[in-house]
């Protein structure tokens, strides 16, 4: 499959950054870490919509624990290419997670505000444990010092798109991850 040399969306240009092969390779690694930690448990995976839907689909299949469930929540903080700083729960959790090992699946940890807010919300429901898996982490953007338990890629604090990540709702369909081009 061909990888587009560049992608333009809303007047911004993006260039290839992480290929689908590299993504698949790191997902295998993260999946085996999670499987090792939770194979004797009946974990609940919580995919954070919208951005993590593609990562969660691939990661969940790769983890391969049949005695587990996956469910979905939605949080929102971004407008365009920058965070508003306010994290909103848009779709809440319906499942009972009391006494369960929970793994949050996110697309990206930027300031860490969403992660911290979610973990705080989930802990109110008395799970046995809460772990956090992310496809991407921008450690230099942190406003919280939050460090995910599982990270596929640590990246610089630049805007990226593709493989579930959007710009104003667009380009989530891209099979590879693209980074904003520096002019
Ligand atoms: P945080 O609360 O600042 O950590 O932001 C987390 C959310 O911001 C992520 O779940 C994404 O939806 C969004 N986000 C942060 N950086 C990017 C990016 O580079 N591309 C697309 N979305 C991003
Ligand atoms: Mg997200």
């Amino acid at each position: 499959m061909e990888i587009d040399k560049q992608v333009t969306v809303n007047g911004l240009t993006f260039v290839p950054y992480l290929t689908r092969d590299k993504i698949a390779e790191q997902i295998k690694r993260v999946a085996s870490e999670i499987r090792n930690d939770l194979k004797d448990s009946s974990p609940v995976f919580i995919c954070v919509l919208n951005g993590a839907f593609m990562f969660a689909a691939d990661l969940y299949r790769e983890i391969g624990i049949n005695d587990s469930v996956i469910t979905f929540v939605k949080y929102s903080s971004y407008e365009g290419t920058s965070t508003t700083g306010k994290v909103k729960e848009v779709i809440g959790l319906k499942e009972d997670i009391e006494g369960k090992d929970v793994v949050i699946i996110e697309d990206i940890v930027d300031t860490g505000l969403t992660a911290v807010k979610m973990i705080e919300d989930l802990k109110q429901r008395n799970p046995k444990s809460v772990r956090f898996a992310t496809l991407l982490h921008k450690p230099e953007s942190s406003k919280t010092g939050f460090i995910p338990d599982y990270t596929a890629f640590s990246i610089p604090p630049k805007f990226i798109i593709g493989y579930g990540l959007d710009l104003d709702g667009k380009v989530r369909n891209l099979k590879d991850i693209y980074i904003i081009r520096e002019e």
Side-chain angles (χ1 to χ4, degrees):
M1 264 292 277
E2 277 286 300
I3 297 172
D4 291 332
K5 287 202 176 55
Q6 61 176 54
V7 173
T8 301
V9 46
N10 288 5
L12 297 171
T13 301
F14 293 82
V15 293
Y17 185 54
L18 301 168
T19 63
R20 63 201 75 176
D21 292 350
K22 265 199 179 164
I23 295 168
E25 189 184 292
Q26 291 309 309
I27 287 177
K28 278 207 162 71
R29 174 185 58 80
V30 168
S32 80
E33 291 172 16
I34 295 174
R35 192 166 53 245
N36 282 338
D37 291 346
L38 293 173
K39 57 183 180 308
D40 301 320
S41 163
S42 307
V44 177
F45 293 92
I46 301 178
C47 167
V48 187
L49 296 171
N50 292 329
F53 79 102
M54 210 174 277
F55 174 50
D58 286 342
L59 181 69
Y60 188 51
R61 277 181 289 184
E62 203 62 54
I63 294 167
I65 299 177
N66 293 344
D67 184 14
S68 69
V69 297
I70 187 165
T71 187
F72 302 85
V73 296
K74 183 165 181 171
Y75 279 75
S76 185
S77 70
Y78 253 62
E79 264 169 33
T81 58
S82 60
T83 182
T84 60
K86 276 189 230 101
V87 181
K88 277 189 305 194
E89 187 189 69
V90 186
I91 300 174
L93 185 69
K94 311 272 185 301
E95 279 69 17
D96 182 11
I97 58 166
E98 189 163 343
K100 295 281 188 180
D101 290 312
V102 170
V103 184
I104 299 166
I105 305 179
E106 250 291 27
D107 52 353
I108 186 161
V109 175
D110 187 34
T111 61
L113 291 166
T114 309
V116 167
K117 171 85 163 71
M118 279 196 67
I119 292 169
E120 203 175 275
D121 289 355
L122 290 179
K123 284 193 170 160
Q124 309 280 321
R125 297 160 178 262
N126 302 316
K128 183 173 168 205
S129 67
V130 179
R131 290 175 172 78
F132 198 99
T134 188
L135 174 66
L136 300 148
H137 181 207
K138 295 179 182 170
E140 290 166 56
S141 303
S142 183
K143 289 186 183 161
T144 54
F146 173 74
I147 297 170
D149 301 284
Y150 310 100
T151 299
F153 300 95
S154 274
I155 64 166
K158 305 224 169 92
F159 198 76
I160 53 124
I161 54 163
Y163 191 71
L165 290 121
D166 69 307
L167 174 51
D168 280 340
K170 296 174 207 166
V171 292
R172 295 191 197 274
N173 60 299
L174 298 171
K175 293 179 182 177
D176 306 278
I177 290 175
Y178 292 74
I179 194 161
I180 198 152
R181 191 180 69 191
E182 306 288 343
E183 299 307 328

